Amino acid sequence: MTQSDFYLLKEQTIEDQWLFACRLVDQLVTKECRQVLVQLDDRQQAAAFDDLLWTYRADSFVPHALLDAQDAPIDCQVSIGWLDDPGHQHDVLINLSQVLPNFFSRFQRLCEVVVQHDQVLEYTRNHFRFLKDRGYPLQHRDMPLQHLDKRAR
């Protein structure tokens, strides 16, 4: 059964949510050797997250590709998607979408990044309720303020 982790941040912006997701992707890939799918709402958001993952830290490189990219390797450690098809199997789903994808249970682990933004709070609470009502294992992870210089990536 999919383990669901909710990372609770004190930050308030979507940018903070995405920056934390970049750090989480980096950690999952470099320290845990996991395969990750980052799910967003549409291709425009996916392309923006792709750009951020290239630039968020100057001293780090995380191999990644958009899920629909023609040159994306089948074994790419990080895929960025928005479609109803998650592509090849991954270990971890980082959901930045307002919708909990129907395919979430294919993954060993689901990560939701919660910031103190009304829209994000609303949809992540809905995801939490849905998972809790169905008996999925849930874990809250309270995160300290990140205090990152947002341009020193």
Side-chain angles (χ1 to χ4, degrees):
M1 184 172 267
T2 303
Q3 168 65 44
S4 301
D5 296 320
F6 284 75
Y7 291 86
L8 308 174
L9 282 62
K10 292 174 179 38
E11 286 83 4
Q12 299 181 358
T13 69
I14 301 296
E15 182 183 14
D16 292 322
Q17 181 192 39
W18 285 22
L19 287 170
F20 182 86
C22 286
R23 289 191 301 276
L24 184 57
V25 166
D26 194 4
Q27 177 182 339
L28 289 166
V29 170
T30 60
K31 294 188 171 128
E32 299 181 28
C33 297
R34 305 297 294 263
Q35 287 193 321
V36 178
L37 172 65
V38 181
Q39 183 75 6
L40 292 118
D41 287 316
D42 55 43
R43 189 173 200 303
Q44 183 179 356
Q45 285 184 0
F49 189 83
D50 175 60
D51 290 342
L52 182 62
L53 200 51
W54 280 112
T55 61
Y56 90 101
R57 262 183 55 200
D59 63 342
S60 176
F61 170 71
V62 177
H64 65 281
L66 291 171
L67 202 53
D68 72 341
Q70 296 296 328
D71 59 350
I74 190 73
D75 60 349
C76 187
Q77 280 190 280
V78 179
S79 296
I80 302 168
W82 63 96
L83 305 167
D84 290 334
D85 178 5
H88 64 284
Q89 183 63 34
H90 291 81
D91 300 324
V92 180
L93 170 62
I94 298 176
N95 187 36
L96 300 177
S97 173
Q98 295 182 44
V99 176
L100 185 61
N102 292 331
F103 55 76
F104 79 91
S105 62
R106 277 185 54 181
F107 293 79
Q108 295 172 7
R109 185 171 161 201
L110 165 67
C111 300
E112 295 267 355
V113 181
V114 183
V115 291
Q116 305 307 304
H117 180 281
D118 290 342
Q119 184 178 10
V120 175
L121 288 170
E122 181 180 346
Y123 73 73
T124 54
R125 285 178 183 144
N126 290 336
H127 298 174
F128 183 86
R129 276 195 284 296
F130 177 89
L131 295 164
K132 183 179 179 188
D133 290 348
R134 284 152 185 81
Y136 283 91
L138 300 167
Q139 185 169 24
H140 291 91
R141 297 176 182 265
D142 288 320
M143 307 307 292
L145 282 172
Q146 298 301 312
H147 298 299
L148 270 184
D149 174 6
K150 294 177 183 171
R151 293 294 105 202
R153 296 180 268 308

